[in-house]
Amino acid sequence: MVAYSFQRQFVPPILAGTKCQTVRSERKRNPHAGEELQLYTGLRTRHCRLIKRVRCSEWWRITILFDDNDPEGEGIILPGFGYEGGLEGFARNDGFQSWAELKAFWRKHHPGKDEFTGLLICWEDLQ
């Protein structure tokens, strides 16, 4: 079982089922398809709360590119996988209203970084 912590802003979309993925750096142990994931807010604090238990449906290695000067240079590199809805669809599945909102979040939390390489982890509710 793998646990992930989320900021409070992501709790409502996780509970509503509209946030069904997360982008994370690779760990020594990444989740396996079919494995249960525990989604928390405030992990490792006294305010820790379990949001939801879900099942990892699959994961992919991903690179996300941000370019403030050339929006055409922005994108998602996800070998062998096309993302329905493009950047806007990706952002909505990640708990944002739009790609612009996702990008603003990225800029706030990762100033000066124009590229991220890691994992896209997708989940489904436990049945």
Side-chain angles (χ1 to χ4, degrees), residues 18-115:
T18 56
K19 179 172 174 60
C20 54
Q21 68 184 32
T22 189
V23 176
R24 301 293 170 124
S25 296
E26 285 201 56
R27 298 177 169 182
K28 286 183 182 180
R29 184 183 161 335
N30 297 312
H32 304 289
E35 182 174 18
E36 183 178 312
L37 307 177
Q38 292 181 339
L39 311 182
Y40 287 92
T41 187
L43 194 61
R44 297 189 184 101
T45 72
R46 64 185 178 131
H47 303 290
C48 180
R49 189 181 107 214
L50 177 67
I51 304 167
K52 196 178 209 182
R53 294 180 201 277
V54 295
R55 185 162 321 283
C56 176
S57 55
E58 43 198 334
W59 62 265
W60 297 273
R61 287 190 170 76
I62 186 173
T63 298
I64 304 174
L65 306 170
F66 300 95
D67 189 337
D68 293 334
N69 298 319
D70 180 16
E72 295 295 317
E74 295 186 326
I76 298 169
I77 301 170
L78 202 56
F81 183 78
Y83 212 88
E84 188 175 328
L87 297 179
E88 295 297 323
F90 180 88
R92 283 190 299 277
N93 284 348
D94 209 48
F96 296 94
Q97 295 295 315
S98 66
W99 175 256
E101 185 181 340
L102 182 152
K103 185 175 167 180
F105 178 88
W106 175 263
R107 291 288 184 225
K108 177 180 177 185
H109 295 281
H110 307 281
K113 291 191 76 177
D114 293 330
E115 183 176 316

